[in-house]
């Protein structure tokens, strides 16, 4: 898996502290530049975080480039929290590849390989069988889209282990929620840990002052509904 956060000119904690100070400063707005080297910055940061003034950490957004994440983890972790935006490779318009699956660690790879090959064969076969029928009923100017329309139907046969690449944008609080959710995640735990480890490194690379907040998030408990039928 590859995870990279696009960098910006500001640090998340500078924006958080500046926005917090602006709430209590009557003369003018406090800019991020004014708190970068302020000696009380981390004291105020920890204070507002412990006090629950978390909206200050929602002004900064990470735009993350992710490659090689299963659609199961995307659905279960990335898309089960509020305040996100994703643009991921479309199974409707992009033809999927047999080489693009996630294999659980310490599992029988041969069994998984056979399962993926079987399901991918069904996927390819359904596209092949549907395309001529769809082309027949489409108007003339749409007939060239028959294969893509067939892919729209066939994608439902693809397992959730199919990988995806995506742009994913979240605020700092959502990123911390991902970290705290790791221990409570009902499935895909090893893949989730790989993602969280990479995410943490990228966050600290951008702003080392996030480390105490990340460490705090690791101690918190999240709740997931383990009954998938309800979701």
């Amino acid at each position: 898996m590859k995870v990279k956060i696009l960098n910006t000119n500001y640090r998340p904690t500078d924006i958080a502290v500046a926005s917090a100070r602006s709430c209590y400063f009557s003369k003018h707005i406090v800019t991020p530049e004014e708190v970068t080297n302020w000696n009380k910055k981390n004291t105020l940061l920890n204070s507002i975080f412990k006090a629950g003034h978390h909206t200050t950490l929602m002004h900064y957004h990470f735009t993350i480039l992710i490659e090689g994440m299963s659609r199961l983890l995307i659905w279960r972790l990335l898309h089960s929290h509020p305040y996100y935006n994703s643009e991921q490779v479309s199974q409707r318009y992009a033809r999927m590849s047999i080489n693009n699956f996630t294999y659980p660690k310490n599992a029988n790879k041969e069994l998984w390989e056979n399962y993926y090959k079987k399901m991918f064969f069904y996927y390819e076969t359904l596209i092949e069988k549907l395309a001529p029928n769809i082309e027949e009923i489409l108007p003339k100017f749409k007939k060239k889209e028959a294969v893509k329309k067939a892919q729209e139907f066939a994608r439902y046969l693809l397992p959730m282990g199919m990988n995806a690449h995506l742009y994913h944008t979240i605020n700092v609080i959502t990123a911390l929620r991902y970290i705290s959710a790791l221990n409570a995640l009902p499935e895909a735990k090893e893949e989730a840990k790989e993602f969280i480890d990479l995410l943490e490194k990228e966050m600290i690379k951008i702003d080392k002052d996030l480390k105490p907040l990340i460490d705090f998030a690791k101690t918190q408990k999240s709740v997931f509904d383990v009954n998938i039928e309800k979701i």
Side-chain angles (χ1 to χ4, degrees):
M1 187 189 301
K2 295 179 182 178
V3 173
K4 177 179 175 58
I5 296 177
L6 296 181
N7 210 345
T8 67
N9 294 327
Y10 293 106
R11 296 192 302 170
T13 54
D14 289 348
I15 293 177
V17 171
S19 65
R21 288 187 70 191
S22 295
C23 290
Y24 310 109
F25 194 62
S26 61
K27 295 182 179 179
H28 59 77
I29 196 165
V30 179
T31 66
E33 289 85 355
E34 291 178 74
V35 303
T36 298
N37 298 313
W38 185 45
N39 60 1
K40 295 181 181 178
K41 175 194 160 184
N42 286 327
T43 301
L44 181 57
L45 175 67
N46 292 328
S47 173
I48 59 177
F49 187 74
K50 290 178 181 177
H53 195 176
H54 295 165
T55 51
T56 57
L57 286 159
M58 296 174 74
H59 295 294
Y60 185 98
H61 285 75
F62 297 116
T63 294
I64 314 169
L65 280 56
I66 304 172
E67 294 183 77
M69 179 179 285
S70 73
R71 290 185 181 256
L72 173 63
L73 189 59
I74 293 171
W75 162 71
R76 190 49 136 167
L77 180 63
L78 302 193
H79 292 175
S80 66
H81 290 75
Y83 313 120
Y84 74 84
N85 183 56
S86 280
E87 307 297 336
Q88 64 182 314
V89 59
S90 171
Q91 289 183 332
R92 297 174 65 190
Y93 302 114
R95 192 70 166 256
M96 296 295 102
S97 168
I98 185 62
N99 300 315
N100 202 19
F101 282 102
T102 292
Y103 289 86
K105 292 180 180 177
N106 304 318
N108 188 321
K109 188 173 181 180
E110 185 179 354
L111 288 177
W112 278 95
E113 211 165 45
N114 290 337
Y115 168 66
Y116 284 148
K117 284 179 179 177
K118 180 173 69 174
M119 296 308 298
F120 201 79
F121 171 76
Y122 293 152
Y123 165 76
E124 293 278 351
T125 302
L126 188 57
I127 293 173
E128 184 181 335
K129 289 184 179 298
L130 285 177
N133 294 289
I134 293 174
E135 184 178 3
E136 192 176 314
I137 63 175
L138 285 174
K140 188 175 181 179
F141 71 97
K142 286 278 189 179
K143 288 187 182 297
K144 63 181 180 180
E145 299 178 13
V147 173
K148 291 190 182 297
K149 293 291 184 184
Q151 285 173 190
E152 287 192 44
F153 290 98
R155 66 191 165 121
Y156 292 106
L157 293 175
L158 293 170
M160 294 293 281
M162 173 65 71
N163 287 341
H165 52 261
L166 65 153
Y167 273 68
H168 187 65
T169 300
I170 52 174
N171 61 52
V172 179
I173 286 296
T174 301
L176 294 174
R177 283 176 175 159
Y178 289 170
I179 293 168
S180 69
L182 178 59
N183 294 329
L185 203 66
E187 60 271 296
K189 286 180 177 290
E190 291 170 343
E191 187 187 4
K193 186 178 187 312
E194 179 186 1
F195 169 67
I196 294 303
D197 288 345
L198 293 170
L199 177 65
E200 179 181 344
K201 288 176 184 176
E202 286 290 302
M203 290 171 67
I204 292 174
K205 191 189 299 182
I206 286 174
D207 189 347
K208 60 180 176 56
D209 290 333
L210 286 171
K211 184 68 166 63
L213 308 190
I214 291 170
D215 290 341
F216 177 81
K218 290 178 180 178
T219 67
Q220 301 308 293
K221 293 183 179 180
S222 296
V223 177
F224 274 82
D225 188 343
V226 297
N227 188 346
I228 296 178
E229 293 180 358
K230 293 182 180 179
I231 296 175

